[in-house]
Amino acid sequence: MLTQAAQSKPPEASISALTAALASLAENGAPVPRDAALGAFRRHLAHIQQHVQHAFEQEQITGLQAARLLGKQIDGLISGLYDYATTDTGLGDPELLSVAGTGGYGRGVLAPFSDIDLLFLTASEPSRQTLQVVEYMLYFLWDLGVKVGHATRSIDDCLTEGARDTTIRTALLDARHIAGNAVLFGEFHSRFRAACKEAGVAEYIAAKQAERAARHRRYGDSPFVVEPNVKEGRGGLRDLQTLYWIARYVYDTQTMGELADIGDVLTQAEAKHGRRAWEFLWTVRFHLHYVAGRAEERLTFDLQPVVGARMGYTRRDRQDGVERFMRHYFLTAREVSRLTRILEPGILREALGPPAIAAETDPALLKNGLVLAEGKLLPFAGRDFDKEPLQMLRILQVARDRNLDLHPLAIRALIQNERRAVELRGDPKAAALFMDLLCGKEPERHRASQHPDGARWLAVMNETGFLGRLIPDWARIVGQMQFDTYHVFTVDEHTIEAVRVLNTLERGELAEIAPVATSLVDHLQSRRALYLAMLLHDIAKGRGGDHSEIGAEIALKVGPQLGLSAEETETVSWLVLHHLLLSGVAFKRDIDDPKTILDVADAIQSPERLRLLLILTVADMRAVSPKVWNNWKATLLRDLYARVAEVLAGGLSTTERDVRVERARHAAAAMLSDWPKEEIDRFTSLGYPGYWLSFDPETHARHARLIRSAEARHAPLTVVTQPLPARAVTEVTVYCADHAGLFSRISGALAVAGASIVDARIHTMTNGMALDTFWIQDAAGGPFERPDRLARLSVLIEQALSGRIRLAEEIRKLSKMPFGRRMRAIHVPPRVVIDNHASNTYTVLEVNGRDRPGLLHDVTAAISEQGLQIGSAHVTTYGMRAVDVFYVKDVFGLKVENERKLTTLRDALLKALANPDEATPAQAVPAARRRRMAAG
């Protein structure tokens, strides 16, 4: 509510204050010189802006009230300028000129840094005097620093251009008289409204719908984009304005409340939701402009915590304030999308009459209580969703089975009756219908067709609110975001996307990208369990604690409610509990370590569960974001699956290590059949068992040739690079004398070269030489392939090992390179986990921290300084979070188990993780908010 302190003088009072300021500058009644007037207007404009900002930031007015206040004050400034231009400049007052606001300014709302759109309206072709006045006003405004959009048109021009261009017609729809000849503007308004009525509403509404669809494609088709555009994005202010334009065009209304009084277009409750969304979005937009100091419309990562803090969102329980704020934003955006689905069909029905029902309707459709209207499904009169809630599921099933679209009025009815879904909980018929929609038709029936398409119907149920009513736990993840750069969807959108990936797997569309998962998906015995597990795998996000464990408990409750058997429910719960198992092991553990494979096999125990878990993992990862899945990660998952499947099938036990080593040696020797026997024997005696289990025979043969060549040349250092496009990596092999800190120096050189290490194997051979292999990617997540980059990489490794470049300084230069403010806003607390149980022979170090150039160099240098040897390294990044895992031993080849040494090691790693350039961004909180927080 507007407080007394914030009450603004009306525009007339603002004009009077400006007029008085100008009068004080006049000498003996002479006209005020332009420069003096410009100074007075500039001071007046600054006063207006400061007054509005102060009132808003002291929480005396909301964002919408501030927008209206600023608009009114600018009205006074424009009116004052018109008076000055026509009285003090000698130009005179044109008889037939009206100055009107258009766009947002025409609607009477203005953001702090928005353009001011003006229409200079004339009765006919403008006279010379009129053009001089227009030109004077525009140059004056530009000199004030005001951004002005403008057009000079006669009434006839406006009508002609408006008929030809929907965008111009919309701008004229917003037109509002500010200064000049009001009678002329009144004539324009009457003729324009008559022209709109004559043109009809259908064409205009269709044009605005197409315009909105194009805008959504540009800014994101989902209201849940993690860095939303408050003005242009789906569910943003422009969507509300589109509803306003359509309603204004059809009914000449100004507010949501007026619409609620017209027929069955909108209920008072829905109008209230619209007003509340309008208020919230304007408040967010004002904060955005003031924080950014410019017309910033995108709620980026760096601005989200600042705006959230300014609006009073603080940490509650385990949820950060910024996550609470963004959830409120996303729920508001969804409400705007729902309002669009309600309002537009209602307006069309009121304006054009009810839809034409098909003359002949299929008896089967009629039996299901449905009819075809305009080729789309609609509930039959007398069997509405309000009377039969089960119809809300049945209409979706029929639409799927007959490949029909839902009529907009049907979607409107789904939204308006979503609360009735509560009555369907525990209903066996509803449960069967829901599971049928989720799972779709059986795989063998739909190859090369659009089925299954469960994600499509989940999206409809989610957007209409039905899903959250049917499954209450789902409602808790709607709009739930995670404040990081790894997840690009909210939890509910990610889950629906994961089901969509599962659908594409079943349709065989990912055969090249995920061949193993595609080959397995047709051979599952627990298909319903897989789909429900996919739906519930993140159901407990945002509750604190381990979301996998809490989600597994929820699954035990939801399974029976949806008609699953006890065995299916137990499988769902197990899958939810372990849905991160395969990805965690593949990307963070040494899968060449026998204990790793045995531990995974022991946890899974069943070939069917392994198949289910692999498919679920692939769908989950691909649904996170397009950049998360790559060929390298696919390779690691396939290798892990093959090794665990071998154990579960009762094949060669991983404990029979000597047999595996001997097989690998024989396979390598077979690849070198053209070598003398003594050279083969020498090579096969060089590697320790770990080396032979880490590579395939082809790689062993390449290593043999590399070593023979290096020894023949007496080369102290050999670097070989090999791009592997199929795995999206480049393999870098380094052969040189082993010494402490070798891994750290090489990783530092790779960082300076612009490479990201995704995996590494470090082997010391029996001759004291190191044979280290690194798999690297470029910044785009692809292999290093350009010859010049590969050559530079080799040179940098040689310079780093010979001491001819100072790695610390070079890495420091990289760290000082501009790092976007958006990314700096993501806080990643450093974390070190030391595990002496994951491997029988190594201590496993898991290091978490903000990713940055040279991080791996700093961490591995700290490990070397502690006197430890690195056996293997596994490097993964999740957005800005780096998760690096190292298998290490001490100088005696033993695990590190001394508590004092472990404490020293942990402290050293935490110090290495610290980023000296990173500081938690201060969040600007208005003074009123600070005082309240201090008092509380």
Side-chain angles (χ1 to χ4, degrees), residues 596-891:
T596 299
I597 304 302
L598 286 175
D599 287 347
V600 174
D602 188 54
I604 294 176
Q605 298 183 346
S606 151
E608 171 73 357
R609 281 185 171 181
L610 178 60
R611 289 189 287 269
L612 292 168
L613 200 55
L614 178 72
I615 294 167
L616 187 144
T617 302
V618 170
D620 187 18
M621 284 186 61
R622 285 190 60 82
V624 170
S625 92
K627 296 180 181 179
V628 167
W629 181 267
N630 57 40
N631 288 346
W632 175 248
K633 291 180 177 177
T635 300
L636 293 176
L637 276 175
R638 282 198 296 268
D639 288 350
L640 176 60
Y641 171 82
R643 296 180 192 202
V644 176
E646 185 179 11
V647 174
L648 292 177
L652 181 66
S653 170
T654 57
T655 55
E656 297 178 82
R657 197 178 193 199
D658 292 343
V659 176
R660 285 177 172 263
V661 169
E662 201 56 38
R663 282 187 176 181
R665 282 188 173 130
H666 284 306
M671 299 289 293
L672 302 170
S673 57
D674 56 332
W675 280 26
K677 184 177 184 306
E678 59 272 15
E679 290 192 33
I680 294 176
D681 291 344
R682 170 169 163 68
F683 171 68
T684 56
S685 68
L686 283 178
Y688 290 103
Y691 167 76
W692 294 106
L693 297 177
S694 296
F695 301 99
D696 57 29
E698 290 79 7
T699 305
H700 285 140
R702 280 196 286 111
H703 289 169
R705 297 186 183 96
L706 181 154
I707 292 171
R708 183 165 74 165
S709 172
E711 291 179 345
R713 292 181 288 109
H714 303 289
L717 170 68
T718 300
V719 179
V720 176
T721 58
Q722 181 176 3
L724 303 172
R727 296 165 70 183
V729 293
T730 291
E731 185 179 279
V732 180
T733 306
V734 180
Y735 183 67
C736 63
D738 195 16
H739 60 80
L742 178 65
F743 184 98
S744 177
R745 286 177 174 271
I746 297 174
S747 62
L750 293 173
V752 174
S756 296
I757 301 172
V758 296
D759 209 348
R761 293 287 186 277
I762 297 92
H763 296 285
T764 301
M765 313 304 278
T766 56
N767 61 355
M769 298 291 282
L771 183 63
D772 295 349
T773 305
F774 299 81
W775 289 273
I776 63 172
Q777 293 179 327
D778 60 17
F784 262 57
E785 293 182 296
R786 275 182 16 208
D788 59 318
R789 299 186 76 186
L790 294 174
R792 179 171 180 263
L793 184 146
S794 298
V795 169
L796 283 170
I797 291 174
E798 189 275 328
Q799 290 177 338
L801 295 184
S802 63
R804 289 193 286 126
I805 60 169
R806 297 181 178 180
L807 280 174
E809 290 183 11
E810 295 296 324
I811 289 171
R812 199 176 303 116
K813 290 178 186 176
L814 292 175
S815 299
K816 290 181 179 179
M817 291 174 67
F819 204 48
R821 287 176 55 196
R822 294 169 54 240
M823 298 301 104
R824 288 202 302 269
I826 308 298
H827 178 58
V828 182
R831 180 169 177 259
V832 175
V833 177
I834 301 176
D835 188 348
N836 268 316
H837 302 288
S839 172
N840 289 329
T841 54
Y842 289 94
T843 292
V844 180
L845 308 178
E846 182 178 319
V847 177
N848 293 249
R850 173 192 280 285
D851 194 22
R852 57 178 168 83
L855 175 67
L856 196 58
H857 166 269
D858 294 348
V859 170
T860 53
I863 293 173
S864 296
E865 287 166 6
Q866 295 298 309
L868 301 180
Q869 301 171 350
I870 300 173
S872 66
H874 311 272
V875 181
T876 309
T877 54
Y878 301 92
M880 293 307 299
R881 180 187 299 275
V883 181
D884 300 344
V885 177
F886 306 93
Y887 282 65
V888 301
K889 293 179 178 180
D890 63 17
V891 291

Side-chain angles (χ1 to χ4, degrees), residues 238-249:
R238 188 68 80 200
D239 277 6
L240 277 172
Q241 288 162 356
T242 299
L243 294 178
Y244 163 85
W245 287 324
I246 291 173
R248 181 88 188 272
Y249 192 91

Side-chain angles (χ1 to χ4, degrees), residues 54 123 133 177 341-342 383 388 452 459 530 563 589 620 623 637 649 670 677 687 853 871:
H54 177 78
V133 171
H177 176 71
R341 296 278 204 164
I342 291 171
R383 297 193 63 181
E388 293 185 51
L530 174 62
R589 292 294 181 263
D620 187 18
L637 276 175
K677 184 177 184 306

Side-chain angles (χ1 to χ4, degrees), residues 223-224 234-236 239-240 243 256 266-267 269-278 280-281 327-343 415-416 418-419 462-465 469 478-479:
F224 300 145
R234 184 174 181 189
D239 277 6
L240 277 172
L243 294 178
M256 288 281 182
L266 203 66
T267 67
E270 289 160 352
K272 182 180 178 181
H273 290 156
R275 287 193 296 269
R276 192 163 53 196
W278 190 245
F280 176 80
L281 292 172
R327 182 161 195 248
H328 189 174
Y329 178 88
F330 289 134
L331 291 177
T332 300
R334 188 183 75 147
E335 194 60 48
V336 172
S337 296
R338 285 157 54 93
L339 196 62
T340 299
R341 296 278 204 164
I342 291 171
L343 188 53
I415 294 171
Q416 293 180 319
E418 43 107 351
R419 291 178 180 271
N462 190 42
E463 185 177 347
T464 57
R469 297 291 183 180
V478 174

